[in-house]
Amino acid sequence: MSPTVDQSAILHYRRTRRRRILLTLLLVSICMVAFFADLVVGPSGLGVRETLNALFGIGDVARRIDVIVWQVRVPTSAMALLVGAALALAGAEMQTILGNPLAEPFTLGVSSCAALGAAVAIVLGLSFPFVPVGWTISANAFLFALASLGLIHVLAKIRGAGPQTLILFGIALGFSAGALLSLLQFVASADALQQLVFWSMGSLARADSHSALIVFIVLAATAPFSFAASWRLTVLRFGEERAQSLGVDIGRLRLTSLLRISLLSATAVAFVGIIGFVGLVGPHIARMLVGEDHRFLLPASMAVGALVMLLASLASKMIVSGVLIPIGIVTALVGLPVFFVLVLRQYGAGR
C-alpha cells in the first residue's frame, strides 16, 4: 500500500472517530435536556420557575413544592434515565452475543419470569427470608429474572449450545413462566389481580431515591466492564471464526456478557416492571448513527435508551391531562412501529 493511501486511510479514520465522538456527546446533551424537561412537567401543575427554584434552592420554596420536586419528580426522572440506559446497554450486548438484531433483554424470557416472581409475591404473599415487606415484589422479580438467565446459561452450557439454542431456551422458558403466571392470575383475588396488572404495565410511579440509587450502582458497576469488552464485541460482529482467529474467547465473552445483561435487566424490571422495546430500539438507533464500533455504540445506545425513556415519561404525563399513564404502554406504542420496520428490513435483506 502506498504512503498516500495510508495517509488517506488514517485521515478517514480520524474523521470518522471525531464524528462518532461528537454524535455521542450530542446524544448525551439532548438526553440531559430531556431530563430537565421531564423534571418540570408533571400532573401537580408546578411551573418551570417553581421547579427550578426548588432544584437549585433559590429563594423561599414552599415545603409542598420541595417535596414534589425532590421526592417525586427527581427520583422518577432519574429512574427513567437510568432504566433506559441500562436496558439499551443490555440490548446492545444481547444483539451482539446472540448475533440477532431482534434480540433484547427480554428475548430470553426475563420479563415473563420477573412477572411470575412479582405474581408470587402479590398473589401468594411468598418471598425470600429477610427481605423487608416493602421490597418483596421487587426482590422476587429480580431474583426470578436473574434465575431465568442463570438457568438458560446452565442448559446451554450442558448442551454446548450456540446463540440460536439460547434463544429457543429463552422462548420456551418465557412460555412456561407465562403459563404459571396465567394460573396465578386465575386464582388471584380482585385486588391482587389489579395490583399485578398495574405492575406488569411498567410504571415509574414506584420510583424513589433508594431504588434509583440501586439502579445507578448496578449500572455504574457493570458499564465499565461492558466498555472494556467493546473491541471484542466489535470483532464478534464480524463472525465467530474471525473473532476466534484474533484470540477472542467466545465462550467467556458470552458468559460475562450474559452476567451483565442479567444484572441490568433484572434490576430494571424489578423496580419499574416490564418496559419493552427500549432494549431493542435504543441500540438500533445508535447503530444507525455511530456504526458497529462498540467503543461508541455502547455509550450511544445508553444515551438513546435514556432519551427514549425520558420522552416516553414526558408523553405519559401529557397524553391525558392530570393522569400518569403507565410508561410501559407508551414505550410499546412507540416501539411497535420501529419493530415492524426492523422486521421488514431484515426480511428485505434476506431476499
Side-chain angles (χ1 to χ4, degrees):
M1 187 179 291
S2 70
T4 307
V5 175
D6 259 352
Q7 189 65 24
S8 174
I10 291 171
L11 287 174
H12 175 71
Y13 170 75
R14 287 176 177 170
R15 279 197 300 270
T16 303
R17 187 179 65 172
R18 188 163 54 245
R19 184 179 65 84
R20 288 171 174 169
I21 291 173
L22 289 175
L23 280 171
T24 305
L25 292 176
L26 179 63
L27 285 171
V28 173
S29 303
I30 296 173
C31 194
M32 295 315 297
V33 172
F35 177 75
F36 282 104
D38 190 50
L39 276 178
V40 299
V41 174
S44 59
L46 289 185
V48 175
R49 177 177 294 180
E50 292 172 307
T51 307
L52 292 178
N53 286 347
L55 274 177
F56 298 107
I58 302 172
D60 292 330
V61 180
R63 174 65 180 162
R64 180 184 68 86
I65 296 175
D66 200 55
V67 168
I68 290 173
V69 171
W70 282 104
Q71 295 187 20
V72 178
R73 290 192 180 182
V74 170
T76 302
S77 299
M79 184 64 90
L81 186 148
L82 293 167
V83 166
L87 291 177
L89 177 61
E93 285 205 61
M94 180 74 88
Q95 289 168 10
T96 298
I97 64 167
L98 295 183
N100 189 325
L102 300 181
E104 63 158 338
F106 300 145
T107 300
L108 299 184
V110 177
S111 58
S112 300
C113 290
L116 177 62
V120 168
I122 294 170
V123 178
L124 303 179
L126 299 177
S127 184
F128 293 86
F130 311 114
V131 175
V133 175
W135 290 75
T136 53
I137 297 174
S138 297
N140 271 25
F142 175 81
L143 291 170
F144 272 66
L146 202 61
S148 69
L149 285 169
L151 179 62
I152 289 169
H153 178 71
V154 170
L155 288 172
K157 198 172 180 63
I158 291 173
R159 292 290 182 185
Q164 304 307 321
T165 311
L166 273 176
I167 294 174
L168 290 175
F169 278 149
I171 291 172
L173 188 62
F175 275 115
S176 302
L180 291 172
L181 178 63
S182 299
L183 180 62
L184 287 177
Q185 289 174 331
F186 182 73
V187 300
S189 65
D191 289 342
L193 185 60
Q194 185 180 23
Q195 189 180 355
L196 180 58
V197 169
F198 184 74
W199 183 91
S200 63
M201 285 179 180
S203 173
L204 296 169
R206 298 182 293 272
D208 57 26
S209 56
H210 298 293
S211 56
L213 179 62
I214 291 173
V215 178
F216 171 77
I217 291 172
V218 171
L219 184 60
T222 51
F225 291 99
S226 299
F227 297 153
S230 58
W231 76 268
R232 283 171 286 160
L233 292 168
T234 303
V235 171
L236 185 59
R237 287 292 292 178
F238 297 102
E240 290 192 8
E241 290 183 2
R242 179 173 294 185
Q244 285 172 332
S245 70
L246 292 172
V248 176
D249 186 339
I250 303 295
R252 184 180 177 81
L253 177 62
R254 194 165 282 147
L255 170 62
T256 52
S257 290
L258 272 177
L259 285 174
R260 290 191 293 271
I261 292 164
S262 305
L263 282 173
L264 291 169
S265 51
T267 306
V269 75
F271 291 113
V272 300
I274 300 170
I275 306 286
F277 294 105
V278 175
L280 172 69
V281 172
H284 278 287
I285 295 175
R287 191 171 287 113
M288 286 189 285
L289 294 172
V290 300
E292 292 288 355
D293 189 337
H294 282 58
R295 292 176 301 170
F296 306 100
L297 176 62
L298 296 182
S301 295
M302 293 173 68
V304 173
L307 181 60
V308 169
M309 275 293 287
L310 287 166
L311 295 178
S313 175
L314 268 171
S316 70
K317 299 172 189 175
M318 300 173 69
I319 291 175
V320 180
S321 179
V323 176
L324 189 63
I325 297 176
I327 196 169
I329 297 175
V330 181
T331 57
L333 288 174
V334 173
L336 269 174
V338 178
F339 179 76
F340 288 138
V341 169
L342 293 173
V343 171
L344 290 173
R345 280 185 60 184
Q346 189 186 35
Y347 174 72
R351 292 182 68 180

